[in-house]
Amino acid sequence: METKTEYKPFEVDQHLTAHGNYWAGKAGSRFYTALRDRKKILGSPCKACNKVFWPPRSVCTFCFGELKDLVEIGPLGTVETFTLVTYAEPIHPRPAPFICAVIRLDGADTGMAHFLDEVEFGQVTIGMRVKPVFAKDRKGNILDIRYFKPL
Amino acid sequence: MKRNVAIIGGGQTYHAARRHDVDEPEMVNEAVRAALKDARMTIDEIDLVILGNMEFFEGTHMTDCWLVHGMGAYGKQGLKITTGGTVGATAVCAAAHHVASGLFDKVLCIGFEKQEEGDTGAILSGVANPLWGRSMAGAAVGYFAMMGSSYMAAWGAKEEHSAMVAVKARQNARRNKYAHLKLDITIEDALNSRMLAWPIRMLDMCPASNGACAMILADEKTAKSRSKKPVWIRATDTAHNEQFELDWRDVKTNRLIFSRACAGRLYRKLGITDPAKYFDVFEVYEPATWAELIWYEDLGLCGPGEGFRLIEQGRTNIDGPIPVNPSGGVLSTNCIGASAMLRVWEAALQIRGDAGEHQVPKDVRRALTTGYGGTNWTVMTALSKTLDD
Amino acid sequence: MTERVAIVGVAQTRFAPKRPDVNYGEMAYEVISRVLQDTGLALPDDIDNAISCSHDIWDGQTISDIGITDVIGGHLRAEEKMAMDGSTAVFYGAVGILSGEYSCSLLMAHTKMSQTNRNIVNNVAFDPIYTRMLGFDYTSAAALQARRYMYKYGITREDAARVVVKNLANAKRNPFAWQSGDLTVADVLSSPAVAPPLHKLDIAPDTDGAVALILASEERARKITDKPVWILGIGTCYDAHYLGDRDLSGVFALEKAAARAYAMAGIKNPRRSVDLAEVSDDFSYQELLWLEGLGFCDRGEGGRYTASGATALGGKLPVNPSGGVLSGVPANVAGLNRVAEAVLQLRGEAGDRQVRGANIAVAQGHSGFCGQHQCVVVLGN
Amino acid sequence: MATKDKEWISIPMTVDVPYRFAAGSYMTKCLTELRDSGKIYAVECPKCKRVQLPPRVVCAECHVKNERWVELPHEGTLVGFTIMYLPLTDPTTGKPHEPPFVYGSVRLDGATSVLDHMVEVEPDMDKVWVGMRCRLVLRPKDERIGDLSDIRYFEPLPGQKKPQS
């Protein structure tokens, strides 16, 4: 008869690491060059829906129309909702705790998810007016806006 | 299936190593718009959207959720399927089932991959079991190399035979405006290309492509009223394979393997015994040259060990009696999530007579397609021009 | 539906925060072997196809159904994998049977949340062009949804906390649940803040587990069981992706998915027709939101409806008598577990958590952050 | 700004997901024994008698639970091979295996399954052939971690010559 040996559950630590490079495409490239070079924030107007969308896109999510134009929106906006991220993760671009929010820029009908700073969490309210703080060294990604802060 | 199902439209992007001009939703949208245009339909008419894509290849979780606007899926029913290289064909089968169920009349299915965005090498090695073989992952090249060496040792084929497949694929691709590798190459070029893993050379393997394919499937009533050239899905079958025993490369194996099991069932569904006569064109998923030769045998287009004779005699050429991959196949275009769907769509184009310069010269009434992926999986689809074919 | 599809068997693992003793294939085998045994069916002959539901990135393996092909009976046979919530697998499975292609299908969902970091996994679900780099995950996104919902309708943290109190008390009656207890609203409110207004007890815990389920055509079902549970209606719907595109306090996708499912089931008034619901309360407030989306109460009334006791075990419309996802059910498995629990209720096999006289049940699942894709299943006995 | 409109922006981003994989009960025994005693354990299907390596809970063909353990010898036969000219990266360490090297598929005596691994012979078609007998060479016990890389490679049994065809 086989003697039954008890084995401690065997576990192995590994990582799956993938170095990606995401192309921003037609609308995204124009958005990021304007942000990087001119500190301008662009959105996509849809004539059929009579709305301006952020983020910019080449196809309307809601009516499937082709969108070719971009218009300037913001830079001021209004806080629609917010939270405080209290925990730290390697995916975070800034140390916790930090405030995340959805901000609807003036002239846009959909909001931008981003950070709030230079304000205590307890002071943030829905409806608060905010403006963007741009990064000095802009690279053509969403962190070219460092965060939004109250007016 | 309880209702007849037809392909009433389809479209694909141009396939290329680089698509810097589009993000993933924009690229998928190109194929979706092409399919809608082909079907003379608006997105509002679509009842349900199915996406086939491998989430890890672009390093994005829930790609269907991000791509909602590109797919036109906002407010619609939908689901996402991920079965590896077969996924494009699985999405077609799923779309066919949705139509056949009677719950949906017009279903859009999409397959895509933007391989340049992700880290395909790292992610492909992740296919290996994390505790058994991931540290040793020989990659797909090693597997197909052993298949090639096994095939040569078993049947006396030569490297020239795989080179013939490599040349046929790329020469066919030159006639296909959407194909990725359109190479004017000769047997010598193929034999002199860089050795990757003996006997697999650079030109024996598929490229990494960016691209998308979309198809619209509909019920018989819709198909007949809306489409001049509906292509009918007559039968489908799927066979997966166990995790660790990959016997496809052991060409003399006596075991029933996925390819033969699937073909056998599909032929029984159709009641046929001579597929080489029955079907007018084949689009098979050949990630490597040797795999195409083995498909010939596993599909019963010839006997065991005779596959390399078919290519030698030119029988599977675009103008041969058994044309295989007139599109250029996966050896010319491999955007993984779309590759298996492209087989079906290319076969449908052949049946419609709309394949343009790569249209096979003979009358095409019936076509067979295969997918390939995972640990030796396939999905097969049989198409026909009319319901009487 | 002209033809009917039945659920003829269900099995679930005992959920646990961590299962170091099994890999995901073995964990799947636990529920597959049990559901086969319970139904008296055997692989490969009695099952036509298998559908698994999991995500490569959770599983840590590319094309991760490779790891369950053996145990699910996929060798040389039809096996599909979908990467969504498990509730949608029921949709996909039912369609396969209605198409006439299959008559008996095995569904299985599995996830081992313990083997990785949920926030890193979920971050990759945000679009890489505009949002991912900001470090969002499902919890921070849910917090934005929670605050917007609370703001718009005057819902309070106490309203959401009552869901936790109810569900964890229900979970005490469910032998498969691992997180349960007699909590007070104060306990929930005072648990550590994670992403306000969400605190630790508002958030479903990391869990390992699997659920399997067998679907059959009416003809097959009659031979397999004398207690078939029928899929009366089923519907799905996608919302927009970007956080700012959606009305986060709204239930656009769920309302549409529910309308489709109810229409198929011939249900005109869910408040009158439905006896119980199992919803995917990944976060406490979501149960309130989903109650509204499913039409069990008016918009903005989720808090009051719950406070009235209507959703308690023994209430007018018991919701999550099992303890729900808050009691510990893995991501992706959650929706299939909702369906499985609803089946047990309709079969009268729910033990101490049984709802008396249950004839019609609704199960709901969602995938994507803040419930972007919704699936509603209406079941009857 | 017309020129700027032609610039295509890309956003590099690394996805790095940590995992702690549980081997599961079958692979736990297999990997623990490989590490601690250098033994190779497989399972035999009670129905079809296939001897399966790595061991697994279910025989995929018969769908019965595998319950009988079989210790495999370290010797076997090469059933397929290739000479790799690509530097393959070990994703678990990030280090490449330097080409060219022989990569082969070996059936250990008594096993139904094969084991893919490096073969320590010159990458020369005259020095390696299907049917070659080989044995596995393990790392020293104190270097073993319970991974397939605990097997360094297969080496040919001495005194063999490639048969003339």
Side-chain angles (χ1 to χ4, degrees), chain D residues 4-34:
Chain D
K4 279 286 176 233
D5 284 354
K6 290 256 161 61
E7 183 188 353
W8 300 118
I9 294 281
S10 74
I11 299 167
M13 212 177 297
T14 294
V15 176
D16 180 19
V17 192
Y19 296 95
R20 167 160 289 193
F21 290 115
S25 58
Y26 283 75
M27 211 77 105
T28 284
K29 172 167 173 164
C30 176
L31 295 175
T32 306
E33 289 289 349
L34 174 63

Side-chain angles (χ1 to χ4, degrees), chain C residues 64-144:
Chain C
S64 68
D65 47 333
I66 288 171
I68 54 95
T69 303
D70 299 8
V71 298
I72 208 166
H75 182 57
L76 302 186
R77 293 149 40 74
E79 180 224 313
E80 323 292 357
K81 175 185 163 194
M82 44 176 313
M84 307 196 83
D85 176 68
S87 51
T88 314
V90 177
F91 181 94
Y92 187 21
V95 159
I97 289 174
L98 291 172
S99 76
E101 192 74 359
Y102 307 119
S103 65
C104 191
S105 304
L106 172 60
L107 315 184
M108 187 274 300
H110 65 87
T111 300
K112 291 189 81 181
M113 294 177 79
S114 73
Q115 70 175 13
T116 181
N117 175 328
R118 67 151 85 179
N119 292 336
I120 294 178
V121 167
N122 290 336
N123 175 244
V124 187
F126 289 80
D127 85 90
I129 311 291
Y130 300 105
T131 321
R132 192 186 296 172
M133 209 178 246
L134 298 167
F136 275 99
D137 58 66
Y138 281 19
T139 303
S140 53
L144 296 175

Side-chain angles (χ1 to χ4, degrees), chain A residues 10-12 14-29 56-67, chain B residues 20-24 26 29 32-33 36 43 56 58-60 69-72 74 114 116-119 122-123 126 130-131 134:
Chain A
F10 193 98
E11 293 186 273
V12 178
Q14 286 183 20
H15 281 250
L16 276 176
T17 307
H19 303 289
N21 190 24
Y22 298 95
W23 293 88
K26 292 179 175 34
S29 293
R57 62 203 72 179
S58 298
V59 52
C60 176
T61 307
F62 305 96
C63 77
F64 204 64
E66 284 187 84
L67 306 182
Chain B
H20 295 177
D21 59 322
V22 284
D23 65 3
E24 292 174 34
E26 286 170 346
N29 192 244
V32 171
R33 284 192 193 279
L36 288 167
I43 193 73
F56 243 156
E58 286 87 5
T60 297
H69 56 297
M71 301 193 297
Y74 172 75
K114 198 151 188 263
E116 66 176 331
E117 312 236 313
D119 190 336
I123 295 313
L131 290 112
R134 188 166 292 180

Side-chain angles (χ1 to χ4, degrees), chain A residues 9-11 16 22-24 27-28 31-32 53-57 61-62 79-87 89-93 98 100-102 109-115 121 126 141-143, chain C residues 18 20-21 56 60-62 117 119-120 123-124 127-137 139-141 143-148 151 193-198 239-246 248:
Chain A
F10 193 98
E11 293 186 273
L16 276 176
Y22 298 95
W23 293 88
F31 169 78
Y32 278 120
F53 300 120
W54 193 91
R57 62 203 72 179
T61 307
F62 305 96
V79 173
E80 294 206 310
T81 180
F82 62 94
T83 186
L84 181 76
V85 174
T86 62
Y87 47 94
E89 292 288 2
I91 47 172
H92 292 162
F98 55 87
C100 289
V102 174
D109 292 279
T110 61
M112 175 192 284
H114 218 293
F115 304 123
F121 177 65
I126 290 177
N141 64 51
I142 197 64
L143 297 177
Chain C
K18 182 173 162 83
D21 56 320
D56 291 3
Q61 182 162 14
T62 309
N117 175 328
N119 292 336
I120 294 178
N123 175 244
V124 187
D127 85 90
I129 311 291
Y130 300 105
T131 321
R132 192 186 296 172
M133 209 178 246
L134 298 167
F136 275 99
D137 58 66
T139 303
S140 53
L144 296 175
Q145 182 176 39
R147 187 176 303 276
R148 187 73 198 170
Y151 169 81
V194 177
L198 299 179
D239 202 341
H241 176 72
Y242 304 107
L243 278 166
D245 272 13
R246 293 190 236 169
L248 288 175

Side-chain angles (χ1 to χ4, degrees), chain B residues 41-246:
Chain B
M41 214 166 242
T42 68
I43 193 73
D44 297 336
E45 295 179 80
I46 298 293
D47 302 324
L48 177 127
V49 181
I50 296 172
L51 178 69
N53 165 256
M54 297 310 300
E55 66 177 10
F56 243 156
F57 285 93
E58 286 87 5
T60 297
H61 187 33
M62 312 252 189
T63 30
D64 55 324
C65 285
W66 174 29
L67 298 185
V68 155
H69 56 297
M71 301 193 297
Y74 172 75
K76 292 196 191 301
Q77 308 228 37
L79 66 154
K80 180 192 170 199
I81 296 168
T82 71
T83 54
T86 51
V87 71
T90 310
V92 175
C93 282
H97 293 165
H98 279 77
V99 173
S101 74
L103 298 179
F104 303 94
D105 291 339
K106 284 158 271 168
V107 174
L108 170 67
C109 54
I110 305 163
F112 93 97
E113 216 73 63
K114 198 151 188 263
Q115 285 212 59
E116 66 176 331
E117 312 236 313
D119 190 336
T120 305
I123 295 313
L124 277 175
S125 62
V127 174
N129 184 287
L131 290 112
W132 191 263
R134 188 166 292 180
S135 64
M136 288 294 309
V141 171
Y143 183 82
F144 291 111
M146 284 194 238
M147 170 187 272
S149 61
S150 155
Y151 190 89
M152 288 160 72
W155 309 121
K158 300 275 181 267
E159 285 180 74
E160 282 76 5
H161 294 104
S162 72
M164 289 172 197
V165 178
V167 170
K168 172 174 77 73
R170 278 49 173 263
Q171 290 291 352
N172 286 353
R174 290 178 68 214
R175 300 159 174 246
N176 176 358
K177 64 179 176 179
Y178 296 105
H180 173 186
L181 285 187
K182 301 174 201 176
L183 304 176
D184 187 10
I185 52 166
T186 62
I187 306 264
E188 286 67 41
D189 295 332
L191 289 175
N192 289 326
S193 65
R194 185 158 74 95
M195 185 69 87
L196 303 178
W198 185 86
I200 295 278
R201 292 171 185 274
M202 197 70 163
L203 287 168
D204 288 313
M205 289 301 291
C206 57
S209 315
N210 298 315
C213 181
M215 285 167 52
I216 297 165
L217 273 57
D219 65 300
E220 185 170 348
K221 195 170 154 223
T222 307
K224 286 185 168 162
S225 65
R226 295 295 297 269
S227 176
K228 282 193 191 120
K229 298 186 217 173
V231 174
W232 301 93
I233 295 182
R234 303 308 296 278
T236 65
D237 202 85
T238 300
H240 281 204
N241 186 81
E242 60 185 310
Q243 180 172 9
F244 292 111
E245 314 293 334
L246 308 181

